[in-house]
Amino acid sequence: MNVTFLTTGTICCDRSSFRSDICIMKGDVRTLSVSSSIFLHGATGPRGHLTGIIDDDDNEGKEEHVIQHEKIRPYTRKWEPEVMDTITELDFIVKRKDFGVRRSCDVVHNVPAVFFSTAGYTGNLFHEFNDGILPLYITSQHLNKKVVFVILEYHNWWITKYRDILSQLSDFPVIDFNGDKRIHCFPEAIVGLRIHDDLTIDSSLMENNKTLGDFRDLLDRAYWPRIRGLLKEEEREAQLNVAKSTFSPSSRTKRKAVKKPKLVIISRKGSRAISNEDKLVKMAKSIGFSVEVLKPVRTTELAKVYKVLNSSDVMVGVHGAALTHFLFMRPGSVFIQVIPIGTDWAAETYYAEPSRMLGLRYIGYKILPKESSLYDDYDKNDPILSDPSSLNKKGWEFTKKIYLDRQIVRLNLGRFRKRLLRAYNYSIARKNKLRHHQLQ
């Protein structure tokens, strides 16, 4: 849907996707948040806007004055009615060009607006990126930051968490649609977000063939100013530590350790945690890795997580929302996903395929029944262990209840060691190759 060919004073909606609806309005666009409405007037004044808009309770708001009326819930889980019912429904109304107007604009914007919701599954990292941030990039990047984001179900914590990314997509302050009762006027509005697939960008659908790699470049630009500050803090702290101690053999060992391939373990608590994580760390170190255990929570500053993973060679984690952090890894790095029983499809769809698209070296580790806590709870011939697909066919609720919420992983370290050795050898070869190029 190309807005360039959209006639001024009209709405064009694309409802063909099962994931989301999107509508574009061009002309004299005006918000009226008290009625969850956006009005579009057919005629424009000298500056591109009429002198005001009708109060929606006024008699002149009768149906005979309406040329077109559309409704949309601007969230990207269209196929899930229970979730979509929690999203504010917006009314788009096109008025006749000779329609009398009464209320003036409180704020006039000279750039387009993109309307979307941060409700739904917001609070889960996978959904925050998959349902919100990536679709926002897909929808708005072609506007080159000359766009205003108007958010329904606005959350201050979400704005704080994603401020760095938002600043790379827009030069303007975000508007709280429900909280800001002023009438905002725009020359154009995009309502709803485009989404291609799970954590995926289809370059054939993007202007200038943008890819998931381009999105990661944006993350680089978003987080590096903060990372530089963090690095300076660490450098100052290191200098203080050096001043307090002599240059000992142990400090020389630390300097050498920096050159080791860095492995980051995404740690979980509760369901799908690795019960023998401590032994995993020891084994990884014995192989030759420098190991860091990362325990991100919802309030963890994303720039700090980005700093850790951007400098890593390998990331290991059990299937779950925290693996969305693979987006923070450099192309060419290794991503090892531990796949609990009954999560094969989700592991492949949500993380394996997108990570390959980003250019990561993906390794899947599908656990055996004996590596699952479910082995202690069920007979080995029970379909839960012997035929997980039959349970998955019963629906997401069964998958979640049994395989996602009630399963602990106990790695067979001898078996898993083979994956780590593969990742280690690959990382060493890659480091040597990069060093060779630098010396030439």
Side-chain angles (χ1 to χ4, degrees), residues 6-13 23-32 37-44 48-50 52-54 65-70 91-99 101 184-189 191:
L6 186 64
T7 304
T8 298
T10 59
I11 302 175
C12 181
C13 293
C23 293
I24 297 179
M25 312 170 77
K26 190 174 183 180
D28 184 7
V29 179
R30 304 186 173 216
T31 65
L32 194 61
S37 302
I38 306 174
F39 288 86
L40 176 62
H41 292 273
T44 59
H49 289 281
L50 292 169
I53 73 165
I54 190 67
H65 296 289
V66 176
I67 297 173
Q68 188 178 355
H69 187 178
E70 301 281 352
D91 284 283
F92 315 138
I93 300 169
V94 182
K95 295 291 187 179
R96 286 171 50 187
K97 63 181 180 180
D98 57 351
F99 174 58
V101 293
H184 291 265
C185 299
F186 300 94
E188 179 188 322
V191 186

Side-chain angles (χ1 to χ4, degrees), residues 197-217:
D197 211 334
D198 296 300
L199 292 181
T200 296
I201 292 175
D202 184 343
S203 62
S204 68
L205 301 176
M206 296 290 287
E207 187 172 304
N208 298 322
N209 301 114
K210 296 288 187 181
T211 67
L212 197 58
D214 291 301
F215 174 73
R216 195 197 174 281
D217 289 343

Side-chain angles (χ1 to χ4, degrees), residues 110-391:
N110 295 317
V111 297
V114 171
F115 291 74
F116 64 98
S117 173
T118 55
Y121 290 122
T122 299
N124 175 290
L125 187 75
F126 170 81
H127 289 289
E128 286 170 13
F129 273 90
N130 186 68
D131 305 344
I133 295 297
L134 259 173
L136 185 61
Y137 172 80
I138 290 168
T139 305
S140 67
Q141 59 83 29
H142 69 286
L143 296 170
N144 298 315
K145 301 177 72 174
K146 304 306 177 187
V147 58
V148 175
F149 296 141
V150 184
I151 300 181
L152 288 70
E153 287 87 32
Y154 180 103
H155 302 286
N156 284 320
W157 68 263
W158 188 91
I159 298 297
T160 300
K161 185 172 184 177
Y162 292 106
R163 180 178 289 120
D164 293 333
I165 296 177
L166 295 176
S167 70
Q168 294 299 314
L169 291 172
S170 172
D171 286 332
F172 302 90
V174 171
I175 295 173
D176 175 1
F177 180 80
N178 304 96
D180 188 340
K181 303 303 181 185
R182 296 176 298 174
I183 296 173
H184 291 265
C185 299
F186 300 94
E188 179 188 322
I190 301 171
V191 186
L193 301 177
R194 295 184 180 90
I195 180 171
H196 294 163
D197 211 334
D198 296 300
L199 292 181
T200 296
I201 292 175
D202 184 343
S203 62
S204 68
L205 301 176
M206 296 290 287
E207 187 172 304
N208 298 322
N209 301 114
K210 296 288 187 181
T211 67
L212 197 58
D214 291 301
F215 174 73
R216 195 197 174 281
D217 289 343
L218 179 138
L219 295 182
D220 237 11
R221 297 193 298 272
Y223 291 127
W224 263 106
R226 170 62 175 145
I227 290 173
R228 276 191 281 269
L230 292 171
L231 291 172
K232 287 181 180 178
E233 290 175 16
E234 291 178 3
E235 188 178 336
R236 282 194 295 269
E237 187 176 334
Q239 288 172 349
L240 287 173
N241 290 335
V242 168
K244 292 177 183 178
S245 62
T246 60
F247 188 73
S248 62
S250 61
S251 63
R252 286 197 297 270
T253 302
K254 285 188 177 181
R255 288 183 65 188
K256 289 182 181 178
V258 175
K259 297 179 182 179
K260 293 180 178 181
K262 178 180 173 182
L263 181 143
V264 175
I265 297 172
I266 304 294
S267 184
R268 293 182 61 95
K269 288 184 178 179
S271 179
R272 285 166 284 148
I274 298 175
S275 61
N276 54 348
E277 186 178 278
D278 290 348
K279 291 182 179 179
L280 171 62
V281 171
K282 290 179 181 177
M283 182 178 72
K285 287 181 178 179
S286 72
I287 289 172
F289 283 109
S290 168
V291 181
E292 182 165 351
V293 178
L294 192 61
K295 300 179 180 180
V297 296
R298 197 179 84 168
T299 56
T300 303
E301 185 182 354
L302 288 180
K304 292 182 177 179
V305 180
Y306 192 89
K307 173 181 171 292
V308 171
L309 289 172
N310 184 65
S311 62
S312 71
D313 297 288
V314 182
M315 182 179 86
V316 173
V318 180
H319 172 74
L323 294 193
T324 305
H325 288 119
F326 81 80
L327 292 167
F328 294 2
M329 299 182 74
R330 293 167 298 174
S333 303
V334 180
F335 169 30
I336 303 176
Q337 178 177 203
V338 177
I339 306 169
I341 293 173
T343 65
D344 297 32
W345 179 86
E348 178 66 24
T349 302
Y350 299 146
Y351 301 110
E353 289 181 12
S355 69
R356 294 188 194 103
M357 187 173 292
L358 185 60
L360 301 185
R361 180 98 167 194
Y362 174 78
I363 299 174
Y365 179 81
K366 185 177 176 180
I367 71 169
L368 299 175
K370 287 186 178 181
E371 294 176 271
S372 170
S373 60
L374 297 176
Y375 190 80
D376 301 325
D377 300 330
Y378 298 92
D379 183 84
K380 65 180 181 180
N381 295 317
D382 191 296
I384 287 176
L385 294 174
S386 63
D387 188 15
S389 61
S390 66
L391 269 293

Side-chain angles (χ1 to χ4, degrees), residues 398-416:
F398 283 88
T399 298
K400 184 177 187 301
K401 180 180 178 181
I402 296 172
Y403 297 118
L404 297 182
D405 295 345
R406 292 171 49 192
Q407 188 168 190
I408 303 295
V409 174
R410 185 173 54 246
L411 289 175
N412 178 330
L413 295 177
R415 183 170 174 254
F416 192 72

